[in-house]
């Protein structure tokens, strides 16, 4: 596999969608092919699972079912899109991946990280992102930015305490895996956020030629 696998993480309203567009443009400027995708989702089955996971129809879904559905969508995504793209040498830009599972289902829903790790190993084998950009923002600011949009989905309707636990879990992952996970201060203005992203991504692009 010669393509790079880049994931973007962060709480609600951290600016992931906004930054995906910037990153895509920066990679494509170097003449490299980019597959832009998201989780849960990215395939027809994954998008159907996303609708079940984010919608309000199954409001009381168990944490275990939620965890397994996230990984079901991921298994399909890996087989149908991510691995074929990397094998072609494309760069994969993914809005959320397994760090979100540790943060939301692990810390948020209080499932054990060991359980998440077992399923991660089973579904992904050794595959991990080459780099993960963690857009870190105080919970209140993220929710304020996100709140300017449409009606909340099943996750967006969670409490402040839930999102604080999610943010802390992301910071813990970044502290534990500094080689892979790069913290970006997403509370700053867009230009400053993009400058930080460029600082992390440009060295990878330089190596790619
Ligand atoms: N989930 C999970 O539980 N477990 C898993 O394993 C996975 C996911 C993979 C998917 O939601 C949900 O699934 C997610 C976790 C769960 N739920 N939550 N929470 P998603 O990722 O599709 O959507 P989201 O988290 O709700 O993302 P978002 O709300 O779309 O936020 P965003 O993409 O990070 O932000 P944005 O749309 O780019 O920006 C928000 C607003 O801020 C917008 O108006 C921008 O113009 C503005 N913005 C962006 N950057 C800036 C700066 N720097 N300054 C000022 N304003 C800015």
């Amino acid at each position: 596999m010669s393509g790079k696998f880049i994931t973007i993480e962060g709480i609600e309203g951290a600016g992931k969608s906004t930054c995906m567009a910037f990153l895509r443009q920066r990679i494509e400027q170097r003449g490299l092919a980019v597959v832009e995708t998201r989780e849960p989702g990215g395939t027809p089955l994954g998008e159907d699972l996303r609708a079940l996971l984010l919608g309000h129809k199954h409001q009381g879904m168990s944490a275990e079912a939620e965890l397994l559905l996230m990984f079901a969508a991921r298994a399909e995504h890996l087989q149908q899109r991510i691995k074929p793209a990397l094998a072609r040498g494309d760069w994969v830009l993914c809005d959320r991946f397994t760090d979100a599972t540790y943060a939301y289902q692990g810390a948020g829903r209080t499932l054990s990280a060991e359980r998440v790790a077992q399923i991660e190993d089973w579904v992904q084998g050794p595959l991990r992102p080459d780099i993960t950009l963690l857009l870190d923002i105080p919970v209140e600011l993220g929710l304020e930015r996100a709140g300017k949009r449409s009606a909340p989905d099943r996750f967006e309707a969670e409490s402040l305490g839930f999102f604080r636990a999610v943010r802390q879990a992301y910071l813990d992952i970044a502290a534990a895996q500094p080689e892979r996970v790069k913290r970006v201060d997403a509370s700053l203005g867009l230009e400053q956020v993009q400058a930080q992203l460029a600082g992390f991504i440009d060295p990878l692009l330089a190596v790619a030629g």
Side-chain angles (χ1 to χ4, degrees):
M1 290 183 183
S2 54
K4 294 287 178 205
F5 182 23
I6 302 169
T7 59
I8 305 187
E9 298 280 0
I11 62 160
E12 196 70 8
K16 295 179 300 299
S17 311
T18 311
C19 290
M20 289 278 288
F22 170 79
L23 289 167
R24 177 184 195 135
Q25 197 186 23
R26 204 158 183 97
I27 298 167
E28 284 180 339
Q29 273 170 358
R30 306 283 179 120
L32 298 162
V34 179
V35 171
E36 189 177 336
T37 188
R38 67 175 180 180
E39 289 211 349
T43 65
L45 174 59
E47 291 295 326
D48 283 355
L49 292 172
R50 179 185 180 91
L52 289 175
L53 282 159
L54 271 58
H56 292 281
K57 183 176 175 194
H58 302 288
Q59 196 62 46
M61 179 186 302
S62 69
E64 288 79 3
E66 188 178 286
L67 173 68
L68 291 168
L69 287 173
M70 290 293 175
F71 271 112
R74 185 162 299 134
E76 184 77 358
H77 197 197
L78 282 163
Q79 274 205 23
Q80 301 294 330
R81 286 197 75 195
I82 295 176
K83 285 183 180 175
L86 293 172
R88 285 195 302 272
D90 293 355
W91 286 47
V92 175
L93 205 47
C94 191
D95 187 340
R96 297 191 184 280
F97 194 62
T98 306
D99 294 313
T101 314
Y102 282 99
Y104 283 80
Q105 283 65 54
R109 304 285 192 223
T110 68
L111 293 175
S112 86
E114 290 71 25
R115 178 69 72 209
V116 177
Q118 283 173 346
I119 310 175
E120 177 184 37
D121 286 341
W122 181 58
V123 169
Q124 295 171 218
L127 183 68
R128 301 290 182 273
D130 292 293
I131 187 170
T132 297
L133 301 162
L134 170 59
L135 300 182
D136 182 47
I137 190 169
V139 170
E140 291 79 0
L141 181 54
L143 294 181
E144 187 191 316
R145 284 187 188 168
K148 291 181 185 153
R149 297 169 315 180
S150 56
D153 64 33
R154 206 170 57 84
F155 288 98
E156 289 166 351
E158 284 295 338
S159 66
L160 270 182
F162 179 91
F163 288 112
R164 289 200 178 108
V166 169
R167 182 191 184 198
Q168 188 56 50
Y170 273 133
L171 290 172
D172 291 345
I173 294 170
Q177 300 179 55
E179 290 302 311
R180 175 177 69 86
V181 184
K182 308 298 181 188
R183 178 184 172 275
V184 171
D185 183 348
S187 67
L188 302 173
L190 200 51
E191 272 186 24
Q192 290 158 291
V193 170
Q194 290 177 345
Q196 295 174 75
L197 293 173
F200 290 126
I201 210 76
D202 285 357
L204 276 184
L205 289 167
V207 173

